[in-house]
Amino acid sequence: MNFDQALYLQEDEIESLERALLFAKDAHKGQKRATGEPYIIHPIAVCEILMNYQADHTTLIAALLHDVVEDTSVTLPEIGDSFGSEVALIVEGLTKEKKGNLHKEEYSAINVKKLLSASVKDIRILIIKLADRLHNMRTLEVKKIEKKVPYANETLLFFSPLAERLGLYQMQEELEELSFKYLNPPKFHEVQKLVINYTKTFIAIFDTCSDRIIRSKGNLDIKMAWEREPIYKAASIIQEKKPLAELFMIKLTTKESIHCYTALGIVHQLFQPLEHFEDNIAIEKSMFSKHLTTKVLINEIEVKFIIQTEQTSIFQLLKNDPIPMLSSKILKDTIQSVQSVTTNPIEFHDLISFELFQKELTVFTPKMDIITLPEKSTVIDFAFHLNPHLARKMSASRINGLKKPIYTVLHDMDIVELVTTKQTTVQASWLNHIQTAKALKEIKEIL
């Protein structure tokens, strides 16, 4: 194991990490992976993936020990006694239930429910699970084709969106590319070739841009780089028959949010701006990335610019915020809401997959408070998210000042006001016009 990657840790933390490594080696002694390697290679690889994100030492210790209770005779009390209750809690959240006579679908759903429920208390459980999945995807080649395809499909549909929600964008990109490569090898290589062929053209555009921006930026501290879309996302862009320039972007990184707007002004002075513009600084859509998006015309080609501050890592947030509070904030109240609607693991899995992984839209109250909801949510979803007491008495709404029915589907940046009566107005038909588990739970309780 490469401890040089862990030099950001304190000396006593590295010592406890070394002790955990010896513990894990002893526990997994004699066990082999499907690759034929000693099993300990896997937890070490998971730990090293997380070192790249400068994970805290508790996360790293739990990563080394994440399979010992499930696959060896070591017990959770032993983990707690040797490495503390936090590590034991994380390992417990990562330990699958005994399968017994359960069908594969039900067994999988039970473990998903356990994983996500535990992650509400400590998001590091989910972070380690994602690193575990990434290493398994890197070594998936040794599996039979009938196992590769469903495993890659689950990675794409379930674990990749979770990585995005946690701001683990590099992990998300690799999970998607590996999955895509196994699910559709010919298409993967076709898209990869198109991206490689267009790269030289885009580098020439970037060189022109960077020269002009450097001459115009004055004392403003800007880092410039070009990036391409991940191969999986690139495939969707090509499928929609968009120009190949859409596969690339220029990123300008500044030290402070206010400097992003200065940089935007420079870009718009130098190049003809197009209508496309997004402000994810004034309206924060992610706690991990604050940025502006704009498009300009350069040599008759539309070029996307992302103007951002340095991205915030989830482990930076974990240093400053109480872990249960941050964990709950990232997963929102979705898991608790779904748990209150159903105790059936398969229904839980279906509901959570729909709600957690839907694209999100941002809407506002008349006081400009921000409400984030799944795409295709209606005024009813908005109302129960905002205030269940008011929601049960609403009769209509005003969207951007215009009176609308409560089953109206909302759009990004809408301003929504509720029109209420003195009586409860909830009807069973409302259930046909909702997207969120919270609204489902509240309406069922009222009815």
Side-chain angles (χ1 to χ4, degrees), residues 343-363:
T343 56
N344 181 292
I346 294 175
E347 287 179 5
F348 175 91
H349 184 277
D350 292 344
L351 276 170
I352 209 74
S353 297
F354 175 77
E355 193 158 332
L356 269 184
F357 307 145
Q358 278 277 82
K359 286 185 179 178
E360 291 185 330
L361 55 88
T362 300
V363 294

Side-chain angles (χ1 to χ4, degrees), residues 1 64 96 127 175 275-276 331 337 353 386 395 425 431:
M1 183 166 162
L64 286 172
K96 290 179 182 174
I127 295 170
L175 286 169
E275 286 187 8
H276 182 93
L331 295 172
S337 295
S353 297
L386 177 69
S395 58
T425 55
L431 294 170

Side-chain angles (χ1 to χ4, degrees), residues 263-408:
L264 176 72
I266 292 168
V267 171
H268 282 181
Q269 281 178 342
L270 293 173
F271 312 106
Q272 181 187 336
L274 301 170
E275 286 187 8
H276 182 93
F277 177 70
E278 292 176 24
D279 188 338
N280 292 323
I281 296 175
I283 302 166
E284 185 180 301
K285 290 191 175 182
S286 167
M287 64 183 80
F288 304 109
S289 177
K290 299 179 188 299
H291 65 273
L292 309 172
T293 305
T294 188
K295 281 185 181 178
V296 299
L297 206 58
I298 302 172
N299 300 332
E300 301 305 312
I301 295 172
E302 291 186 13
V303 178
K304 183 193 288 186
F305 276 80
I306 307 289
I307 306 171
Q308 62 183 16
T309 56
E310 292 285 354
Q311 288 186 342
T312 303
S313 138
I314 191 167
F315 291 105
Q316 288 173 293
L317 296 178
L318 285 166
K319 286 179 186 175
N320 303 320
D321 295 353
I323 289 169
M325 187 183 297
L326 181 64
S327 305
S328 185
K329 184 179 179 183
I330 291 170
L331 295 172
K332 302 185 176 173
D333 59 358
T334 304
I335 291 167
Q336 293 96 322
S337 295
V338 173
Q339 282 176 327
S340 66
V341 169
T342 180
T343 56
N344 181 292
I346 294 175
E347 287 179 5
F348 175 91
H349 184 277
D350 292 344
L351 276 170
I352 209 74
S353 297
F354 175 77
E355 193 158 332
L356 269 184
F357 307 145
Q358 278 277 82
K359 286 185 179 178
E360 291 185 330
L361 55 88
T362 300
V363 294
F364 301 90
T365 69
K367 294 180 179 179
M368 299 310 288
D369 294 324
I370 295 172
I371 304 291
T372 305
L373 295 165
E375 205 172 52
K376 298 181 182 176
S377 290
T378 64
V379 175
I380 302 172
D381 294 296
F382 168 87
F384 282 105
H385 187 96
L386 177 69
N387 185 325
H389 180 70
L390 282 178
R392 64 175 60 202
K393 295 182 179 180
M394 66 179 166
S395 58
S397 70
R398 290 188 183 88
I399 301 175
N400 306 321
L402 300 175
K403 196 166 184 179
K404 297 283 183 178
I406 60 172
Y407 49 78
T408 303

Side-chain angles (χ1 to χ4, degrees), residues 229 232-243 246-247:
E229 294 285 7
Y232 177 65
K233 190 172 181 184
S236 299
I237 292 169
I238 292 167
Q239 182 92 21
E240 293 168 14
K241 302 194 182 303
K242 292 182 180 178
E246 287 274 342
L247 306 179

